[in-house]
């Protein structure tokens, strides 16, 4: 038994490095999506201290809107632009109707409000687009669907073109977001707002503008994730689950940290895949991906309650 | 309108015309009157102090000027026009920068980033351009950076530029806050107890910076202070408040000999 846990998996990895690469690649693909979606959470949390429960449903809503608009006969790329418009209107409405009246309320109230948004979007999405599963308009968007076969060390490595596209687009989006947050005035305003509302106001930062902006960014992220995940698993309300995968990422990375979200996302993507293939399937009958990330996060939290990269919690007594 | 002309200070500096005028300002919180019927003005280029014992309403007055409170009654005239009720960030964009009594900095960000936020009022490029680091946004960022470096240099905080603010000692935090306000190149700089909680040496430093800022950039400064000695040395004109009322207004020497002011500070029963 001990041998199965501590020796065999590593022996397998060394024996078939091409397969290990395949596993790591697939881990990277989901990891980068987790990172992206966690970034959406972090941005909203940093600028308003709101834990946005609705992030998951926003993914579904964005994907549904895109597919729905296309089904009305609108060309794919125009549908993308229109969906972005819808996400912007959504961000504005959320700020106006939900956030503004609740300014200064305890965090838990704002959290509950995002649950309200979730339920509203589920209902609204079903009424407008129907509840049945849909197919993502992958080809219409011009996303390649073939695959490339590589042969490292005489082995076999299959790279889906869809996955390559996802990795490139998601990585580019993450890079643009990072640059935006770190090197522009608006990005600085977003980071500043989370630290001190009063100070932010005194240097001319408008709460409303920043909130609409971060919710819109969360909307863009939702659309990209929705397209990527929808292309693999179809568009249905079950897509929401991907956002809950971001929860352990956040626990691991800390709700405050942008770097934490990215590293945490990649880590969870890679580790859960490795664990599933080398330990889960042979020893536990598989399907460990549903819980592995949460257990990992739990263990991290036991030793570092603020997450791996979160702000240090200092209690003054 | 009287008093719109400039005047010459005791030490011979020429002060400009009226920059801001507060007319019959009253501020009530429910049944409590924090400020009752106070009028005074601030001239361009002067150092104007508001002093008074605890609870006199000094901070409330500063919060009215910076838009955090809206007065219950009264008018505020700024640069020759009546200012409608505004949000604090709108006031900031009109050239009113401030610091806070209990320091409000972005603790998680570096000193440089904190001071850079002071330039937000000078940001014109669109969000899209910023996201992509395009032409105008790029030039703006460069220009802002240059101005910020000058302020940092001026306040002698170069050596902590990259330090997260949360790690700095109290006196330096106060200075960073001043730097952030100064980076906005404000028309009026409001300082809420800039020397509160400082030791003698830090107070001397801060006084020197305030005088230098006024001298070098010609910035109009309105400050609140507890410490009578400091205020009298620094300011050109002083408003004295007690229990929400104005009990004195004028150059330091005049105020010092005002019987009401002496009573307020020595504690004569009301």
């Amino acid at each position: 038994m001990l041998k199965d846990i501590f020796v065999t998996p590593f022996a397998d990895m060394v024996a078939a490095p091409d397969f290990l690469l395949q596993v790591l690649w697939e881990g990277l693909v989901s990891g980068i999506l987790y990172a992206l979606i966690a970034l959406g959470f972090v941005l909203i949390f940093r600028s308003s201290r709101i834990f946005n429960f609705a992030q998951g449903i926003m993914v579904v809503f964005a994907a549904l809107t895109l597919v729905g608009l296309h089904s009305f006969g609108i060309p794919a790329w125009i549908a993308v632009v229109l969906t972005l418009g819808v996400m912007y209107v959504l961000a504005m409405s959320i700020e106006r109707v939900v956030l503004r009246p609740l300014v200064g309320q305890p965090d838990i109230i704002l959290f509950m409000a995002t649950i309200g948004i979730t339920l509203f979007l589920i209902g609204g999405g079903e009424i407008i687009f129907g509840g049945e599963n849909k197919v993502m308009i992958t080809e219409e968007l011009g996303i390649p669907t073939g695959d490339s076969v590589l042969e490292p060390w005489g082995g076999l490595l299959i790279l889906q073109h869809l996955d390559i596209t996802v990795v490139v687009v998601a990585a580019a989006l993450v890079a643009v977001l990072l640059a935006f947050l770190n090197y522009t005035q608006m990005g600085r305003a977003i980071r500043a707002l989370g630290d001190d509302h009063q100070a932010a106001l005194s240097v001319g930062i408008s709460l409303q503008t920043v909130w609409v902006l971060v919710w819109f960014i969360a909307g863009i992220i939702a659309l990209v994730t929705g397209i990527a995940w929808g292309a693999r698993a179809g568009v249905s309300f079950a897509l929401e689950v991907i956002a809950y995968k971001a929860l352990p990422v956040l626990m691991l990375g800390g709700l405050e940290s942008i770097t934490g979200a990215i590293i945490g996302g990649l880590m969870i993507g890679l580790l859960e895949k490795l664990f599933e293939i080398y330990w889960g399937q042979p020893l536990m009958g598989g399907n460990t991906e549903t819980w592995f990330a949460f257990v990992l996060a739990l263990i991290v939290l036991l030793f570092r309650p603020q997450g791996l990269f979160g702000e240090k919690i200092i209690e003054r007594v | 309108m009287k008093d719109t002309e400039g005047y010459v200070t005791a030490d011979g500096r020429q002060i400009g015309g009226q920059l801001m005028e507060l007319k019959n300002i009253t501020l009530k919180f429910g049944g409590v009157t924090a400020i009752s019927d106070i009028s005074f003005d601030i001239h361009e280029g002067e150092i104007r102090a508001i002093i008074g014992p605890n609870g006199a309403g000094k901070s409330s007055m500063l919060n009215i000027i910076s838009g955090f409170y809206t007065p219950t009654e009264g008018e505020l005239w700024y640069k020759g026009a009546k200012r409608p009720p505004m949000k604090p960030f709108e006031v900031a964009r009109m050239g009113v920068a401030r610091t806070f009594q209990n320091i409000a900095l972005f603790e998680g960000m570096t000193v440089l980033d904190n001071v850079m936020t002071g330039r937000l009022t000078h940001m014109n490029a669109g969000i899209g351009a910023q996201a992509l680091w395009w032409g105008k946004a790029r030039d703006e960022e460069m220009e802002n950076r240059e101005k910020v470096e000058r302020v940092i240099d001026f306040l002698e905080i170069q050596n902590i530029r990259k330090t997260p603010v949360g790690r700095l000692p109290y006196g330096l935090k106060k200075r960073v806050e001043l730097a952030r306000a100064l980076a906005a190149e404000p028309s009026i700089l409001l300082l809420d107890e800039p020397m509160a909680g400082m030791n003698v040496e830090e107070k001397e430093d801060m006084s020197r910076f305030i005088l230098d800022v006024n001298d070098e950039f010609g910035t109009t400064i309105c400050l609140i202070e507890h410490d009578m000695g400091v205020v009298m040395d620094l300011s050109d004109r002083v408003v004295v408040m007690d229990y929400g009322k104005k009990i004195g207004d004028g150059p330091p020497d005049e105020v010092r000999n005002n019987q009401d002011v002496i009573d307020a500070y020595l504690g004569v029963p009301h």
Side-chain angles (χ1 to χ4, degrees), chain A residues 176 180 182-189 191-192 195-196 198-208 213, chain B residues 68 88-89 92-93 98 100 104-109 113 116-117 119-121 123 127 130-131 133 141 144 180:
Chain A
V176 168
F180 175 66
N182 282 312
Y183 301 110
T184 68
Q185 285 291 56
M186 206 62 213
R188 237 171 248 123
R191 289 186 292 144
D195 267 0
D196 194 316
Q198 228 187 15
L201 284 171
S202 83
V203 294
I205 296 173
S206 152
L207 294 170
Q208 276 95 31
L213 183 66
Chain B
F68 280 82
F89 73 89
R93 287 176 190 177
R98 69 168 294 176
F100 294 83
L105 284 166
F106 311 120
E107 301 262 323
M109 294 165 44
D113 271 347
M116 279 298 274
T117 60
R119 298 295 302 171
L120 272 163
T121 43
M123 177 183 70
I127 290 166
Q130 288 195 42
W133 191 251
E141 178 84 1
N144 287 336
R180 185 182 64 196

Side-chain angles (χ1 to χ4, degrees), chain A residues 129-213:
Chain A
F129 304 108
E132 72 277 13
N133 284 9
K134 295 184 179 60
V135 180
M136 179 45 70
I137 46 170
T138 320
E139 271 173 46
E140 290 85 341
L141 285 170
I143 300 171
T145 44
D147 50 43
S148 300
V149 180
L150 302 179
E151 295 177 359
W153 306 294
L156 190 67
L157 177 62
I158 302 170
L159 302 179
Q160 300 274 347
H161 289 172
L162 170 68
D163 288 350
I164 298 175
T165 317
V166 167
V167 169
V168 170
V169 171
L173 192 56
V174 168
V176 168
L177 274 178
L178 272 186
F180 175 66
L181 286 172
N182 282 312
Y183 301 110
T184 68
Q185 285 291 56
M186 206 62 213
R188 237 171 248 123
I190 292 177
R191 289 186 292 144
L193 196 55
D195 267 0
D196 194 316
H197 278 189
Q198 228 187 15
L201 284 171
S202 83
V203 294
I205 296 173
S206 152
L207 294 170
Q208 276 95 31
T209 315
V210 171
W211 282 347
V212 171
L213 183 66

Side-chain angles (χ1 to χ4, degrees), chain A residues 46 66 77 81 98 146 153 175 232 241 247 252 270 276 315:
Chain A
R46 281 200 64 139
L66 177 63
W77 280 101
V81 175
V98 183
W153 306 294
R232 314 160 121 207
V241 181
L247 297 183
L252 209 63
L270 290 171
E276 164 75 9
E315 294 267 1

